[in-house]
Amino acid sequence: MIIFSYSFPHKKSQDFILLIDALGYQIEAVLASRPKKLNLPRKKYRYKPVHTGLFEISDICNHLKIPYYEFDDHNSKDCVNLLSVMKCDLGIIAGARILKGAVIDAFSKGVVNFHPGIIPQARGLDSMLWSLYLDLPIGVTGHFIDERIDAGRVIMRKYVNIRKDDTIIDLSLRLYETQLEMLPEIFNAISDKSFKTEAISYDDSGYHKSFPFDLEDEVMEKFELRKTK
């Protein structure tokens, strides 16, 4: 098993590595992508918790004796060449941008992503906000990726309830924790010989971009309304 991560202190990268190791699965290597400057639009509200106590991913791997490789980009020639030598079966995304076919095709079983939205309806960025705004179900989708955005073959979906006393950050955190809860379930499903994925036809124009600043007040109103249902 190969884990795709970021090279800098990152909550999901850290938690996925530690949990997969604790579950007793062998991590053959962690492939880490260095930071890039992203020109994302500003947000009016904060939707995610601010994490503290994060460690360098390289330090975690050194402590757990997991081979660690760092690249400017997961799609780089060096990364693709390494994967061709390693001949891996399964990849897990704990931190990555869009992976290209040469990377995905290096895995005999595929590469698994955990998307904090129900796909295909909530593909793309800010899936929690778009789901609230469009009155879509809230949840997480575990899926084998392909080259398209939040596409591929669905392994499982898990729905998340909104509680009456939730803040928007509570909901964001529960979506993240659901991804961690799904890890062993996904592994068990993949190891089941009778397991079947769900192939879905996607419209490539149908993924969401960053949630607009001028709709944030409205989405917060819709969130409060969802809490009363």
Side-chain angles (χ1 to χ4, degrees), residues 106-153:
F107 294 85
S108 59
K109 290 183 179 178
V111 178
V112 177
N113 180 51
F114 293 80
H115 177 67
I118 299 301
I119 57 176
Q121 299 95 327
R123 297 170 59 203
L125 297 175
D126 293 333
S127 52
M128 178 185 73
L129 300 181
W130 283 113
S131 296
L132 290 169
Y133 183 75
L134 298 172
D135 199 27
L136 299 173
I138 305 293
V140 176
T141 305
H143 64 110
F144 285 113
I145 67 170
D146 61 22
E147 287 191 88
R148 297 168 296 172
I149 294 175
D150 299 323
R153 295 173 289 143

Side-chain angles (χ1 to χ4, degrees), residues 114 140-142 156 158 178-186:
F114 293 80
V140 176
T141 305
M156 69 174 61
K158 183 163 283 193
T178 299
Q179 296 176 54
L180 297 175
E181 292 172 2
M182 289 173 68
L183 262 173
E185 298 176 36
I186 290 282

Side-chain angles (χ1 to χ4, degrees), residues 26 43 60 86 130 227:
Q26 181 183 0
K43 289 284 191 287
I60 295 172
M86 298 186 76
W130 283 113
K227 288 163 60 173

Side-chain angles (χ1 to χ4, degrees), residues 77-93:
K77 184 177 180 180
D78 288 342
C79 186
V80 172
N81 288 341
L82 176 64
L83 287 170
S84 67
V85 172
M86 298 186 76
K87 300 187 184 303
C88 303
D89 58 351
L90 184 67
I92 302 292
I93 295 179

Side-chain angles (χ1 to χ4, degrees), residues 193-229:
K193 293 182 180 179
S194 64
F195 161 73
K196 293 182 180 179
T197 57
E198 176 187 343
I200 297 179
S201 241
Y202 294 90
D203 176 359
D204 283 335
S205 65
Y207 65 87
H208 298 294
K209 297 184 179 180
S210 186
F211 195 80
F213 180 90
D214 58 359
L215 292 181
E216 289 191 63
D217 285 332
E218 188 174 350
V219 83
M220 292 298 286
E221 292 174 4
K222 291 192 174 191
F223 170 63
E224 292 299 325
L225 183 60
R226 286 275 285 266
K227 288 163 60 173
T228 66
K229 294 181 180 180

